[in-house]
Amino acid sequence: MTSSVASTNQMDFLKYSHTIGLCTMDGRGFMFPSDTAIGPEGRIYTVSRGLVGDSRTQRVTAYDLDSAFFGTFGSFGEDEGQFKLPSAIAVDSDGHVYVADEYSHRINIFDSEGKSVGSWGSKGVGEGQFNGPSGMAFDGEDHLYVSDHRNHRIQKFTKDGAFVLSFGSKGDGEGKLNLPWGVAVDGGDEVYVADWRNDRISKYSSDGKFLRAFGSSGNGDGQFNRPSSVAVDGEGYIYVSDWGNERVQVFGPDGDFLTKLRGTATVSRWAQDFLSTNAEEADARAKANLEPDLELFGGDPHEESAHTEKYFWGPVSVKLDVEGKVYVTESNRHRIQIYERGA
């Protein structure tokens, strides 16, 4: 570990701010959210993967950091402006919202108010085709990088969908990928990939040249169990949603482990509103043991998270805003935990 990282390695590197979210079938809230994006002027968009067989639950929810709710858009289906298995969301510099759909193998585009303005992509292995598009990220020139999950590659496009290049192929060797999921671009337009099945983070140049990788399989510090998302801040610190280990890990710019989070959630404003008007639910929650003895679960992070309300449970996505706030999307608890940089 380098001395510069070691000097910053402290528990208060990230400080918990608050939680936004509520499990709802439609309207204000989420239903198994899969990703979050922060647009211009602080508008936040979270896409819900929803429940199979219930068409109300696939949607994008728009809100802000203070929990103001601006409505929802998108719906279940295969027509323009619809999706069936939404996996990722991103916003370009003009405020247009892009939603990747694993089922339809395409990218849907909406304006900032949620009106459908187009789509592109189809199933296949050719240039510009997809097999399960997942993570997405824009660079400083509005090029969109898409993690082409089951084609084991990353594709780069203009924001209008014109193919630019692709890199990666199936394997575990240098520069190879195996079911990549999340993708991020840093301030220098270098690309970071959450290489899900290889349990590592791989880094590439903007023209697809492999630069380095870090991480290995396991549950120790700096190890991963199916990393699902990656983000990089302006100082080069790297944030990884370590999905299978139910945590978020933070690394220095060189990939040195810095710290980790299990979750610190409190009741969101939306949930407080719900509990204030649903006395039976509030009473049941007041009587519940929200922090049981963790020894009961033998160190299994999934069981610990399933039984401890404040912990991350299914931390599928980690994103940053322009101020460096960290947004962790939890699919299984239908909420976003928000953190700020500490000392």
Side-chain angles (χ1 to χ4, degrees), residues 122-243:
S122 61
K123 185 175 183 179
V125 299
E127 294 180 351
Q129 294 184 310
F130 301 113
N131 190 359
S134 53
M136 297 189 296
F138 280 100
D139 67 12
E141 298 180 347
D142 264 352
H143 291 113
L144 180 64
Y145 292 82
V146 182
S147 183
D148 191 3
H149 185 61
R150 287 185 290 275
N151 281 329
H152 313 281
R153 65 186 179 185
I154 305 298
Q155 296 198 69
K156 179 179 179 180
F157 302 87
T158 69
K159 68 176 185 177
D160 297 320
F163 174 82
V164 177
L165 60 84
S166 70
F167 54 89
S169 59
K170 186 175 182 180
D172 58 8
E174 187 174 279
K176 300 286 187 177
L177 298 168
N178 193 345
L179 298 174
W181 195 260
V183 61
V185 183
D186 68 14
D189 284 345
E190 292 180 326
V191 184
Y192 297 72
V193 180
D195 192 356
W196 192 84
R197 189 60 182 84
N198 281 328
D199 290 325
R200 65 190 181 193
I201 302 299
S202 292
K203 182 179 178 181
Y204 301 83
S205 66
S206 60
D207 59 1
K209 178 182 177 182
F210 174 74
L211 300 176
R212 66 184 304 265
F214 64 89
S216 60
S217 299
N219 57 15
D221 292 346
Q223 295 183 314
F224 302 115
N225 182 7
R226 308 301 182 255
S228 56
S229 181
V230 59
V232 186
D233 70 17
E235 297 178 75
Y237 289 98
I238 305 162
Y239 305 77
V240 179
S241 56
D242 188 7
W243 177 79

